[in-house]
Amino acid sequence: MTFDGTQRVIGKGAQAKVLLYKGFAYKVYKESYPAEWIAFEKEQQKAVNKAGLCPVKYYDTDDPHIIKMDLVEGDQLEKSIPAAPEQGFLLLARAFRFVHNADAVDTTIPPFYDTAGNVLTDEEKLQMLPIVERLCKKYKSSICHLDMHFLNIMIPANTPLIADKINYTIIDWMNTRVAPPVFDYARTYVIFDEFAKEAVEFYKAAVWPDVLAHGISDEDFSDAVKVCAAIRSHEK
């Protein structure tokens, strides 16, 4: 695919940059990034579209390393956090509830148990997979985003942040799996602990009522954090 020079970079990550071009967003991956992973990401997006979790549709291009996407207007939630941190964390908690309440019947999203060991060493698998198996048997599974943070929630630009009223769109569903919500809450805990330790207690205060509503014990949450931290260590 060839751009005509009018494209503009609106986002950048470790493996891809996002361009605004003729009213659409284009995710342009490095050539070294496996094309089959990109194809998997597109299938994930179709599944979350079907579940009603995200209206953004992905489209094929003539380049397997470029995805055309509906443009999400607005700003990342992170931009509003300095002015309204409490409301930002409450909106994060609301986003978790929205995802976990979605209909997972007949979804093509893979189970977390089937993929959790993909990046782990053999020694880590011996330690972590029994935890995954135990928690998956103990708690009911739902769709989980597994990368829920302020950069992956879009809100309208220049809008006062009121957690229970503002519209939002959750993006970046590559990691989504069917799993007990304890892993979703634990994964975000690991991300905050890595990048913003001062936010951890604010995060726990916002989501802990929902964690308790799921019947999740402190011990099980800690075990889920161990699993998510081990997986996260291979993503850096």
Side-chain angles (χ1 to χ4, degrees), residues 201-223:
E201 292 306 316
F202 291 98
Y203 168 67
K204 289 185 71 174
V207 303
W208 214 248
D210 296 319
V211 170
L212 295 177
H214 284 288
I216 299 168
S217 68
D218 289 350
E219 179 184 3
D220 289 342
F221 183 81
S222 295
D223 280 349

Side-chain angles (χ1 to χ4, degrees), residues 19-34:
L19 307 178
L20 173 60
Y21 182 64
K22 296 186 176 180
F24 286 89
Y26 287 80
K27 199 169 187 179
V28 182
Y29 281 93
K30 296 178 180 178
E31 288 295 325
S32 59
Y33 193 78

Side-chain angles (χ1 to χ4, degrees), residues 44-64:
Q44 290 280 81
Q45 194 69 20
K46 289 179 183 177
V48 298
N49 291 156
K50 181 180 177 182
L53 289 169
C54 182
V56 178
K57 291 184 170 56
Y58 284 10
Y59 308 95
D60 292 330
T61 69
D62 59 8
D63 187 327

Side-chain angles (χ1 to χ4, degrees), residues 159-178:
T159 302
L161 184 53
I162 303 175
D164 61 346
K165 297 184 182 301
I166 199 165
N167 294 324
Y168 63 91
T169 301
I170 304 169
I171 60 172
D172 200 356
W173 293 86
M174 179 66 168
N175 287 341
T176 189
R177 299 290 187 271
V178 174

Side-chain angles (χ1 to χ4, degrees), residues 124-138:
E124 288 171 333
K125 288 177 184 178
L126 290 175
Q127 297 174 351
M128 302 303 165
L129 292 187
I131 296 175
V132 176
E133 182 176 16
R134 180 178 69 82
L135 296 181
C136 284
K137 287 180 177 179
K138 183 173 181 178

Side-chain angles (χ1 to χ4, degrees), residues 167-195:
N167 294 324
Y168 63 91
T169 301
I170 304 169
I171 60 172
D172 200 356
W173 293 86
M174 179 66 168
N175 287 341
T176 189
R177 299 290 187 271
V178 174
V182 62
F183 290 108
D184 220 358
Y185 291 116
R187 166 81 178 192
T188 299
Y189 177 93
V190 169
I191 292 171
F192 276 124
D193 190 52
E194 179 182 347
F195 288 106

Side-chain angles (χ1 to χ4, degrees), residues 39-104:
F40 173 73
E41 181 176 353
K42 289 189 281 189
E43 290 303 311
Q44 290 280 81
Q45 194 69 20
K46 289 179 183 177
V48 298
N49 291 156
K50 181 180 177 182
L53 289 169
C54 182
V56 178
K57 291 184 170 56
Y58 284 10
Y59 308 95
D60 292 330
T61 69
D62 59 8
D63 187 327
H65 283 84
I66 300 178
I67 301 174
K68 179 181 179 181
M69 308 179 293
D70 291 329
L71 179 66
V72 181
E73 301 283 358
D75 295 321
Q76 293 169 317
L77 177 57
E78 183 184 53
K79 184 176 179 179
S80 298
I81 292 302
E86 182 178 358
Q87 290 297 315
F89 280 101
L90 290 175
L91 180 54
L92 184 69
R94 178 184 161 200
F96 274 122
R97 292 193 295 271
F98 171 67
V99 175
H100 300 158
N101 287 332
D103 185 2

Side-chain angles (χ1 to χ4, degrees), residues 110-154:
F112 181 64
Y113 181 79
D114 289 351
T115 63
N118 285 356
V119 298
L120 300 178
T121 65
D122 289 342
E123 182 178 353
E124 288 171 333
K125 288 177 184 178
L126 290 175
Q127 297 174 351
M128 302 303 165
L129 292 187
I131 296 175
V132 176
E133 182 176 16
R134 180 178 69 82
L135 296 181
C136 284
K137 287 180 177 179
K138 183 173 181 178
Y139 297 107
K140 181 181 178 181
S141 287
S142 65
I143 296 175
C144 291
H145 186 275
L146 292 177
D147 202 21
M148 188 80 80
H149 51 73
F150 296 143
L151 293 175
N152 283 338
I153 299 176
M154 302 292 294

